[in-house]
Amino acid sequence: MQQNAVGALLYLAQNADNRVTIIAAGAIPPLMQLLVPGYRSDGQGNAIIALMCLAENAEAAVTITDAGFIPALVQLLVPGSSTQTLTNAAIALRSLARHAANKVIITTAGAIPPLMWLLGPGSDIRAAAAAACTLELLGCSYSNVENHNVIQEMERLSFD
């Protein structure tokens, strides 16, 4: 039942007018509660995407980020998470990494090692592609020298 409710919210959140109503109804906290590592629900991956859709509303984006969306996504990038959760979390981080302020939050939350892990053998191709894009956004610009250095160090360690 919970999976169906989250799926319905995801469907409705794709419409800008619906986003305002969904946010006003207080859907952000219950969706955030699904983003707990080890929580077994097919709705978890949909909750990530629903929150990303809601974050297209500028006010909601601040609320969602302040509620700990980025660290919650990073905590989901672990062995044992479903393929859908890993993929959607990596896609969400890629989307969030396009904004300079979020790059610091993503890095501080410890995202670089799990994103590098997603590039390894056995990872879903979509999760790996999203991880690669996120790492590119985090580290390969001159304004993010520290991130670039962390990524290079992780690459060095993985090949030693």
Side-chain angles (χ1 to χ4, degrees), residues 63-89:
T63 302
I64 290 167
T65 302
D66 288 349
F69 187 43
I70 292 172
L73 290 171
V74 172
Q75 291 179 9
L76 294 173
L77 298 177
V78 295
S81 290
S82 72
T83 300
Q84 181 189 23
T85 295
L86 290 170
T87 301
N88 289 353

Side-chain angles (χ1 to χ4, degrees), residues 3-4 13 25 34 71 77 91 93-94 101 106 112 120 124 128 137 140 144 157:
Q3 179 182 349
N4 293 340
L34 295 175
L77 298 177
I91 290 168
L93 286 170
R94 179 191 66 206
I106 292 168
I112 293 174
D124 178 80
L137 289 167
C140 294
N144 287 292
L157 291 173

Side-chain angles (χ1 to χ4, degrees), residues 106-160:
I106 292 168
T107 304
T108 304
I112 293 174
L115 288 169
M116 294 290 291
W117 168 72
L118 284 176
L119 299 177
S123 289
D124 178 80
I125 188 70
R126 292 168 299 154
C133 289
T134 304
L135 289 165
E136 174 85 15
L137 289 167
L138 290 175
C140 294
S141 70
Y142 294 108
S143 63
N144 287 292
V145 174
E146 287 182 39
N147 291 353
H148 182 73
N149 291 340
V150 170
I151 292 168
Q152 283 189 323
E153 179 63 15
M154 290 294 299
E155 288 174 342
R156 186 188 67 73
L157 291 173
S158 67
F159 291 111
D160 283 349

Side-chain angles (χ1 to χ4, degrees), residues 12-28:
L12 293 169
Q14 294 176 32
N15 176 288
D17 294 332
N18 290 341
R19 288 182 201 127
V20 174
T21 305
I22 292 167
I23 293 162
I28 293 173

